[in-house]
């Protein structure tokens, strides 16, 4: 496993996770969700984590976000030069945008929590809304817009917060196939422009290969790191990259290892 | 009924065009209407209507429903709202009409079930009458306000307002409602957020919740220096509302999707911001559902308290007219209670739209 710095010049690691383990106590003894998981993510790197359901990838992301306790091991997100910036912002699978706030207030939420004034935070929110073509919907409430639009709002809520690290937990998982492709394309475009450090959890191999600099494959419960794939497709990428033979090779290579894990996970669940 | 309604409506086997199916509906409506008349007429004629009254009423109701369903199919889409409104108001009107009719015909005892017109007349009489003995009137004779104001200024207006039964009841309900719901919501939020407090209080609250509040009224009276004053009445309303709102708010807070709490935390909300931006708005739909129920409970409690011990109030006059065997005015009192319920519910709905603009 070649876990360290990706191809090209070695960059300073932004996220350092060492021997992270997560166990849940139950009456029948403790269950290990994640076992001895280590990961370095370089500044400006896009890392995708794939694995069968129940492999602890979402748990890991929540631990990165500080939303869940770590049983043992360490996780560190190195702050940048600007101490006012939040360390991480999460894009949740179920959108998690607040139904009681209008679209623009949702986008400005993180800024508001940090005490940024009304005018400034609304300017920032408007900039992002325009950027994903939601300018017209600023004053709508979430129940008035479609699923794809909701997830756009959720994504730009994180981007408007301008975090050191963007953590995305299957952000496109709940969308239909066509909306998904559109949003993948949009994500690529925004990422090429911002070059944020991203940890991206997904079920979809296509998505992982299309978006990621690196794809981490995890095993079924308990979650362990199984393999790492460097995705050496040229940037900037677009959805067309999916039609190249290289893409298919990567995809087949990952599926080769993943399929046996998926079957094992299905057997575990029975 | 069987004879007429069972007659098969001629049905052609080939697919029926739209106009033809409408014609069939029209025919069916006529037949069904005839069936209602025939059914009741035959029963009345044989002298069996009264022993079989419930069956006759049930069968007539079913036939009316069948007629209305066919009518509904014939209504064009743009008239749909009007049709639904007509059903919603027309059916109760029909029931009242039948009530009126059967009371006048002596089918039901008009002493205990006076016809609606007499109830309305009673209501009118109560509205305009000033009871010199108890110094009260139903709504406080607002038409005298200019005169009293000219004579005594605001003090005169106050005299008029304080003689009103309706205002007495409304103010007890509203004050009790506010005094009960605000602390109830606060405690409910605390119990929803903090497991320790919840475990300590939950069982006790469930126990008090099922206790009829009227049963603790005597104890509540003892707390106050003036046991017959407004204090105990308001407190017992507040208590009922408080318990309900605590339980409901707690359920509302606990029902907030975990992902919103995670999002709030991840985006840097501190304790107070969490409350204001995530927990309270997240629980708001359940809180308002609770307020709606609490309003009904508050009305029940205040009316029964006024039945029991009051010199003024809608519950008091309702009970008073029952005691003096004046059923018209007793019904009129009940009518006022219902109207109060409707008005207060509308107020609450207005408040809900103001507070929760995200729900359309």
């Amino acid at each position: 496993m070649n876990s360290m710095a990706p191809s090209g010049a070695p960059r300073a690691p932004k996220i350092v996770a060492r021997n992270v383990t997560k166990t849940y106590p139950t009456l029948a003894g403790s269950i290990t969700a994640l076992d001895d998981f280590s990961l370095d993510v370089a500044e400006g790197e896009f890392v995708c984590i794939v694995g069968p359901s129940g492999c602890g990838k979402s748990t890991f992301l929540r631990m990165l976000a500080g939303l869940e306790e770590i049983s043992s091991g360490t996780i560190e997100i190195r702050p940048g030069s600007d101490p006012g910036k939040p360390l991480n912002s999460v894009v949740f699978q179920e959108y998690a945008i607040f139904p009681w706030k209008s679209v623009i207030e949702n986008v400005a939420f993180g800024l508001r929590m940090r005490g940024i004034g009304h005018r400034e935070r609304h300017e920032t929110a408007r900039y992002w809304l325009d950027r994903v073509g939601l300018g017209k919907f600023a004053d709508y409430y979430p129940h008035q817009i479609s699923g794809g639009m909701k997830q756009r709002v959720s994504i730009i809520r994180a981007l408007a917060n301008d975090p050191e690290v963007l953590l995305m937990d299957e952000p496109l998982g709940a969308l239909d196939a066509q909306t998904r492709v559109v949003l993948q394309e949009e994500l690529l475009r925004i990422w090429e422009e911002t070059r944020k450090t991203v940890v991206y959890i997904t079920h979809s191999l296509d998505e992982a290969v299309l978006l990621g600099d690196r794809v981490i494959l995890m095993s079924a419960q308990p979650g362990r790191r199984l393999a790492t794939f460097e995705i050496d497709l040229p940037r900037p990428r677009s959805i067309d990259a999916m039609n190249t033979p290289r893409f298919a090779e990567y995809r087949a290579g990952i599926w080769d290892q993943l399929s046996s894990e998926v079957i094992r996970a299905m057997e575990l669940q029975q | 009924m069987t004879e007429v309604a069972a007659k098969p409506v001629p049905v052609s086997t080939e697919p029926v065009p739209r106009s033809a199916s409408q014609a069939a509906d029209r025919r069916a409506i006529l037949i069904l209407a005839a069936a209602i008349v025939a059914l009741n007429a035959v029963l009345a004629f044989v002298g069996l209507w009264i022993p079989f009254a419930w069956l006759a009423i049930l069968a007539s109701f079913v036939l009316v429903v069948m007629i209305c369903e066919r009518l509904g199919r014939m209504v064009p889409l743009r008239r749909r709202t009007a049709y639904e409104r007509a059903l919603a108001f027309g059916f109760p009107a029909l029931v009242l009409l039948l009530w009126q009719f059967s009371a006048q015909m002596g089918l039901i005892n008009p002493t205990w079930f006076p016809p609606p017109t007499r109830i309305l007349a009673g209501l009118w009489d109560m509205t305009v009458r000033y009871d010199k003995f108890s110094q009260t009137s139903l709504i406080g004779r607002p038409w005298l306000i200019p005169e009293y104001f000219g004579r005594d200024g605001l003090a005169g207006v106050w005299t008029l307002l304080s003689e009103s039964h309706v205002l007495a009841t409304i103010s007890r309900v509203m004050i009790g409602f506010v005094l009960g719901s605000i602390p109830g919501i606060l405690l409910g939020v605390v119990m929803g957020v903090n497991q320790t407090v919840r475990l300590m209080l939950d069982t006790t609250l469930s126990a008090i919740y099922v206790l009829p509040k009227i049963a603790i009224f005597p104890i509540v009276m003892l707390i106050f220096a003036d046991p017959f004053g407004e204090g105990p009445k308001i407190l017992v309303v507040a208590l009922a509302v408080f318990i309900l709102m605590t339980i409901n708010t707690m359920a509302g807070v606990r029902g907030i999707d975990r992902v919103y709490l995670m999002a709030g935390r991840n985006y840097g909300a501190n304790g107070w911001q969490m409350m204001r931006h995530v927990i309270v708005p997240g629980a708001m739909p359940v809180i308002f559902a609770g307020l709606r129920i609490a309003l009904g409970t508050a009305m029940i409690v205040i009316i029964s308290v006024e039945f029991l011990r009051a010199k003024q109030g809608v519950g008091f006059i309702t009970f008073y007219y029952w005691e003096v065997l004046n059923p018209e005015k007793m019904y009129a009192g009940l009518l006022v209670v219902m109207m109060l319920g409707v008005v207060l519910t509308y107020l609450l709905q207005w408040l809900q739209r103001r507070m929760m603009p995200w729900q359309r």
Side-chain angles (χ1 to χ4, degrees):
Chain A
M1 276 198 288
N2 44 348
S3 65
M4 278 305 151
S7 56
R11 286 171 282 181
K14 192 77 193 166
I15 302 174
V16 183
R18 285 277 171 272
N19 313 101
V20 178
T21 300
K22 176 74 185 178
T23 53
Y24 291 102
T26 65
L27 286 177
S30 65
I31 292 175
T32 308
L34 192 70
D35 192 22
D36 199 26
F37 188 85
S38 294
L39 175 71
D40 280 9
V41 181
E43 171 119 50
E45 193 186 6
F46 200 124
V47 172
C48 293
I49 302 179
V50 290
S53 349
C55 73
K57 50 193 193 303
S58 288
T59 311
F60 175 67
L61 193 97
R62 275 190 228 128
M63 289 195 284
L64 274 181
L67 293 169
E68 197 135 8
E69 300 279 314
I70 307 167
S71 301
S72 72
T74 56
I75 289 178
E76 190 193 350
I77 298 178
R78 304 224 160 112
S81 47
D82 182 358
K85 261 180 156 183
L87 283 183
N88 71 78
S89 291
V90 181
V91 179
F92 296 89
Q93 178 182 7
E94 316 86 332
Y95 319 140
I97 56 172
F98 304 115
W100 48 86
K101 289 190 177 293
S102 65
V103 164
I104 191 162
E105 282 181 331
N106 263 297
V107 177
F109 182 74
L111 302 171
R112 181 164 188 189
M113 293 305 106
R114 271 156 50 205
I116 287 162
H118 182 275
R119 252 197 59 193
E120 195 187 334
R121 68 171 186 258
H122 273 236
E123 257 167 36
T124 312
R126 223 166 247 296
Y127 164 78
W128 283 103
L129 282 170
D130 287 336
R131 209 157 154 186
V132 294
L134 286 178
K136 279 193 308 218
F137 299 95
D139 295 318
Y140 281 50
Y141 282 105
H143 76 87
Q144 296 167 308
I145 60 177
S146 68
M149 287 154 107
K150 279 182 206 167
Q151 195 51 287
R152 277 195 190 95
V153 172
S154 176
I155 291 168
I156 61 172
R157 172 174 71 176
L159 287 165
N161 207 21
D162 195 19
E164 296 286 341
V165 174
L166 197 58
L167 305 174
M168 305 180 95
D169 187 2
E170 291 187 45
L172 311 183
L175 301 176
D176 63 86
Q178 283 118 32
T179 315
R180 224 180 144 126
V181 172
V182 173
L183 272 163
Q184 281 167 354
E185 187 111 83
E186 218 159 278
L187 261 178
L188 269 178
R189 182 171 58 82
I190 291 174
W191 186 81
E192 304 284 2
E193 288 163 18
T194 58
R195 293 277 167 170
K196 284 260 174 238
T197 313
V198 180
V199 177
Y200 191 101
I201 309 275
T202 178
H203 264 118
S204 155
L205 288 187
D206 285 334
E207 204 166 286
V209 176
L210 176 67
L211 297 171
D213 293 320
R214 227 174 354 143
V215 176
I216 315 275
L217 182 60
M218 284 179 74
S219 67
Q221 195 190 31
R224 288 201 189 88
R225 186 160 162 173
L226 211 62
T228 306
F229 301 86
E230 302 286 343
I231 308 298
D232 202 10
L233 293 172
R235 301 263 186 195
R237 294 179 196 163
S238 79
I239 214 85
D240 298 330
M242 290 173 101
N243 303 323
T244 61
R246 291 269 297 284
F247 189 96
E249 262 169 52
Y250 281 127
R251 196 182 181 291
I254 300 172
W255 177 244
D256 203 33
Q257 295 202 36
L258 180 61
S259 53
S260 58
E261 273 312 305
V262 172
I263 292 162
R264 203 167 70 81
M266 282 162 72
E267 281 163 358
L268 270 174
Q269 277 169 359
Q270 276 167 6
Chain B
M1 158 191 184
T2 45
E3 228 179 65
V4 191
K7 198 185 261 178
V9 180
V11 182
S12 57
T13 43
E14 48 212 84
V16 191
R18 204 176 130 63
S19 56
S21 82
Q22 280 215 357
D25 271 348
R26 238 173 248 139
R27 222 170 16 245
I29 288 171
L30 282 179
I31 293 172
L32 288 164
I36 294 179
V37 175
L39 161 75
N40 289 291
V42 167
L43 274 178
F45 186 70
V46 208
L48 283 178
W49 198 90
I50 289 177
F52 289 105
W54 290 114
L55 265 179
I57 290 170
L58 185 69
S60 306
F61 178 70
V62 170
L63 289 171
V64 168
V65 170
M66 286 166 79
I67 290 178
C68 291
E69 278 188 339
R70 278 165 182 77
L71 275 174
R73 255 182 265 156
M74 284 155 55
V75 171
L77 203 58
R78 67 200 153 78
R79 292 272 173 75
R80 190 73 204 169
T81 339
Y83 164 74
E84 279 167 10
R85 208 165 290 157
L87 264 194
F89 290 100
F91 183 71
L94 180 73
V95 171
L96 286 178
L97 213 70
L98 283 176
W99 180 357
Q100 176 81 26
F101 174 75
S102 40
Q104 274 173 355
M105 298 296 287
L107 291 174
I108 52 177
N109 185 340
T111 314
W112 301 118
F113 302 101
T117 45
R118 268 171 58 200
I119 294 174
L120 281 180
L123 183 62
W124 175 251
D125 187 53
M126 280 162 78
T127 310
V128 295
R129 179 186 296 267
Y130 173 66
D131 189 292
K132 287 199 191 65
F133 177 67
S134 63
Q135 297 185 321
T136 55
S137 65
L138 186 63
I139 56 171
R141 296 182 293 167
W143 56 91
L144 291 181
I145 286 179
E147 187 191 324
Y148 272 62
F149 184 74
R151 209 170 57 208
D152 299 331
L154 282 177
V157 178
W158 177 248
T159 326
L160 277 178
L161 292 183
S162 56
E163 72 178 39
S164 162
H165 290 294
V166 168
L167 280 182
T169 301
I170 287 186
S171 52
R172 283 167 192 154
V173 164
M174 297 259 254
I175 296 171
F177 196 72
V178 172
L179 287 184
S181 54
I182 291 172
I185 291 170
L186 289 178
L187 181 61
V189 168
V190 171
M191 283 176 71
V193 173
N194 186 303
Q195 200 204 11
T196 312
V197 180
R198 182 166 66 246
L199 288 173
M200 283 162 69
L201 298 182
D202 201 9
T203 320
T204 319
L205 278 177
S206 312
I208 301 177
Y209 170 61
V210 295
L211 203 66
K213 300 307 164 297
I214 196 76
I216 49 176
F217 185 57
I219 307 167
V220 174
M221 282 172 70
L222 288 179
I223 302 174
F224 285 84
D226 174 14
F228 304 112
E230 294 298 308
K233 300 183 181 72
I234 290 171
L235 182 64
V236 86
V237 170
L239 210 63
V241 172
F242 170 76
I243 303 280
L244 242 166
M245 285 320 295
T246 308
I247 292 174
N248 258 290
T249 309
M250 178 177 69
V253 171
R254 302 244 295 145
I256 298 173
D257 198 331
R258 226 171 69 94
V259 81
Y260 296 130
L261 302 178
M262 288 201 293
R265 250 178 70 195
N266 185 246
Y267 284 84
N270 58 31
W272 169 246
Q273 289 172 322
M274 240 359 222
M275 234 6 124
R276 170 156 150 44
H277 294 283
V278 183
I279 292 172
V280 169
M284 199 83 97
V286 186
I287 290 179
F288 266 97
L291 285 174
R292 188 93 180 263
I293 300 168
L295 184 66
T297 310
M299 284 304 284
I300 293 171
V301 169
I302 197 60
I303 297 301
S304 29
V305 164
E306 285 174 356
F307 265 33
L308 202 69
R309 186 159 301 287
K311 296 185 211 73
Q312 206 180 348
V314 180
F316 161 74
I317 39 160
T318 307
F319 197 70
Y320 168 78
Y321 283 117
W322 183 79
E323 283 186 316
V324 301
L325 291 187
N326 191 339
E328 280 93 350
K329 291 188 178 169
M330 186 196 81
Y331 279 100
L334 296 180
L335 200 60
V336 173
V337 174
M338 291 194 277
M339 292 195 284
L340 279 185
V342 171
V343 170
L344 291 177
T345 305
Y346 269 115
L347 265 176
L348 203 60
Q349 281 170 342
W350 170 82
L351 188 71
Q352 182 167 7
R353 278 195 298 275
R354 289 286 315 263
M355 305 265 297
M356 296 168 56
W358 65 88
Q359 284 211 331
R360 255 157 283 211

